[in-house]
Amino acid sequence: MSAEGEANGKRATLLIGAPFIYAAAMLVVPIFTIITFSFWTQNYLDIDKNFTWANYIAAWSEPIYTTLMWRSLGISAVVTFFTVTLAYPLAYYISFHVPQERKTLWLFLITIPFWTSYLLRVFAWKIMLGYNGVLNSGLIGLGIIDEPIRAMLYNVNAVVITLTHAWGPFAILPIFVSLEKIDRSLINAARDLGDAAWRRFYRVILPLSMPGVIAALLIVFIPTVGDYITPGLVGGKDGVMIANMIRLQVSKANNWPLGAALAVNAMIIVAILSVTMVVCLRAFIKRIR
Amino acid sequence: MNKTLQTFAVGFASVCLLSNLALNNAIAADDELVVFDWAGYEEPNFHQDYVTKHGDSPTFSFFGDEEEAFQKLRAGFKADVAHPCAQSIPKWRDADLLQPWDTSRIPAFATLVAGMENIPGLSGADGQYMIPLDWGNTALTYRTDKVNAADVRSLQAFINPKFQGQTSIGDNVDDAYALAFLATGVLDWTTATDAQFETASEWLRKAHENVRAYWSDPAALAQLMASGEVNVAWAWNETATRLSDEGHPVIMARDTDEGISTWVCGYVLLKGGEGNEAKAYDFMNAFLSDDTAEHLVYDWGYGHSNQAALDKLDQEVLASMGYTNLDSFKDKTFWQSPVSSGLRERMIAEFEKIKAGF
C-alpha cells in the first residue's frame, strides 16, 4: 500500500471509529442484552437465568400475543398503504408541477408538523376526533347529528388516521427525491414514441421512482409496527398493539424476559416481511419494464 | 429562497431557545427533595408549611398506577419519598425499596386516627415504613342527568348492556379487583380462594365490554365525565367532589347493594434517595398539618390521617363522608388491605389480559 493509501486508511479509521463505537454501545449491546433476557425467566422480583424457550413458546401459542402481533402488522400494513398512496400524488405534484424556485418552500411547508412533538400531534387528533371534539361539535352545529358519535376515537380507525398523518412526510420526501432524479428526457422520449400520459407514467415514471416508494414503504411500515404512543392514546381498548404489550411486560406486568421475547419476535417478523416486500417489489418493477 | 431558509433557521433557533427556557422554569422547583406521587398531590396547598419554610415546592414526578411506579423505581429512578397505598407495601418491602421512618421526627404520628398506626404490613421489626396520610373510597360515581338512579343501585350497572361504551374503570389493578370482588360478593381479598378469583376475573371481563376508556388519573376521568362521554365510573372521592363543585351533576353512590371500597395511602421513605432527608420530614409534617387536612377533606373529599387535625373540622361533614372512625369506615366495605404477593401478581397479569380484550 502506498503512503497516501495508508494515510487514507488511518483517516477512515478515525472518521468511522467514533460513530462505530457509539453505535455499538447504544445499539448492538442493548440488542444483545434484550436477546439474552428473552431466554431467561422472571421469578417474582428476581430473574432465573436458566436457558429456556418458554417465552418464545408463549409468544407463539398464547392467543393474546399472536392476536396483538397480527393486529399490529395489519394496522401497519393499512397505515403504510394509505400513507404511501396519499404521499405519491403530492410528491409527484411538487416534482412535476411546482416551479423549481418554489420547491424548497413546498418541502419546507410539509415539514411544518415536525415543529411540534409527536405527542402533541397525537393529542391534536384526540381533540379532532373526541366525543366533544372538533368534528363532533362541527357536525352537531351543522345539525347533521344530535348526539356526538362515539365511534371516531378509541378504536383501530383512530390509530390508522393518526399514524397516517404522522408518517406522511416520511413517505413524501423519499418519493419526491426519486421523482426528482428521473431524467426528464426519458419522459419526452416516451411521448415522442407515442405513449399517452397514463402509459408514460406506468412504464417510465413509476418504475424509475420505485426506489423512493420502496424506501417510503419501509420507513413507514417498520416503525409503525412498534408504535405504542398512538395506540395508547387514541386506540382505547380495541386498538391495543404488540408494543403496548411489550411495554406492559417491562412495566406493570413485571415480566422482562417475556417482554424481551415479544420484542425479539416482533423484530424478526418485521425483518422477514420487509425483505419479502423489497424482493416482491423488485420483481414487480422488472415485470413492467 | 436563501433568505427564507435563513429566516427559518433564525426562527427555529429562537423557538428552541424559548422552549428550553420554558422547560427550565417548569422544573426549577426545590431539587433537594423529589416526591414520586399521584398526579394532583403536587398542589402547594397540600404542603404549604414546606413552601413557607423552604421557599418552593419539592420536585414532583408522577405515576398513575403503583406497579408502574414500582417498576420505575426498580429500574433506578431516584426519588426521596413516594405515595403508594397500603396494599403495595409488602411488595415494595420485598424489593428492598423502603427504609423505615423515624417516627419521633413526625409529631403528628402520635395523633394518627386510631388504628392507622398499626395496619398490618405497614411496619416491620425495624420500624414504620408507611405513614398513612389520606384515606378514601372508590365507589360508583355517575351523572345524575344521564343515568336513572334505579339503574345504578347495584354495581352490576358496570355489566349492564345499557351502559355499553359509557363506563370507565381506573387503570389500576387494586381498584379494578376491589370492584370485581365486591360485585361478586367477596369482601376480603386476603382470604379469597382461587375460585373466587376466577369468578371476579370473569365479572371484570364482562365489565370490560362496557368500558369506554380506563382512566389513568382523576383529571382524565373528570374530562370524560364532564363531557358526558362516560356516565358511570368506578372513581375516587375527588371526582364527584370536584365535578359537583364545578357545577356538573355528578354524585358518588355510597349505598349501592354491594357497597364501596376503601383504601388508605401514605408516604414511604425510599432507599437510595439523593435528596435532603430533613426535607423529607419537613414535607411529611407539612402534609400532616391542620391546613392540609382542611383542604384535603373539604376540597378533595378525602380523609386525612391526623385525628388532631380532623377534630378541628366540621364533624357533621366528616360524618357524612364516613371519616369519623377507621373501623366503622372499613366496616361492610371492601378494604384494600395489604395482599399476598402471589395473588397480587395474578391479579396484575389477569387485569392486563382483560384490558387487552382477552
Side-chain angles (χ1 to χ4, degrees), chain A residues 38-159:
Chain A
S38 70
F39 292 109
W40 289 342
T41 318
Q42 185 89 32
N43 188 2
Y44 185 36
L45 299 174
D46 305 310
I47 300 279
D48 175 354
K49 293 186 178 166
N50 287 317
F51 180 90
T52 171
W53 286 101
N55 297 313
Y56 286 97
I57 294 170
W60 280 99
S61 62
E62 287 190 29
I64 180 167
Y65 307 126
T66 48
T67 312
L68 289 179
M69 190 68 231
W70 285 118
R71 187 191 290 162
S72 309
L73 293 173
I75 290 178
S76 288
V78 174
V79 168
T80 311
F81 174 78
F82 280 119
T83 312
V84 175
T85 315
L86 291 172
Y88 199 97
L90 189 59
Y92 183 89
Y93 180 79
I94 301 173
S95 179
F96 284 90
H97 296 286
V98 172
Q100 195 60 40
E101 69 275 12
R102 287 263 183 80
K103 281 184 181 169
T104 326
L105 177 66
W106 271 76
L107 290 178
F108 168 74
L109 290 176
I110 285 169
T111 60
I112 282 184
F114 287 90
W115 293 18
T116 59
S117 90
Y118 179 47
L119 204 57
L120 283 180
R121 275 175 278 146
V122 180
F123 263 108
W125 277 106
K126 243 181 136 163
I127 295 170
M128 292 290 290
L129 303 172
Y131 183 76
N132 50 354
V134 176
L135 267 174
N136 266 326
S137 339
L139 289 174
I140 291 176
L142 291 171
I144 296 169
I145 51 171
D146 305 323
E147 270 279 297
I149 301 169
R150 285 168 192 271
M152 288 196 286
L153 192 60
Y154 299 133
N155 53 31
V156 173
N157 292 343
V159 176

Side-chain angles (χ1 to χ4, degrees), chain A residues 46 52 60 105 127 149 160 167 188 196 206 224 230 243-244 262:
Chain A
D46 305 310
T52 171
W60 280 99
L105 177 66
I127 295 170
I149 301 169
V160 172
W167 289 91
N188 290 333
L206 185 62
T224 47
T230 303
N244 300 90
L262 291 173

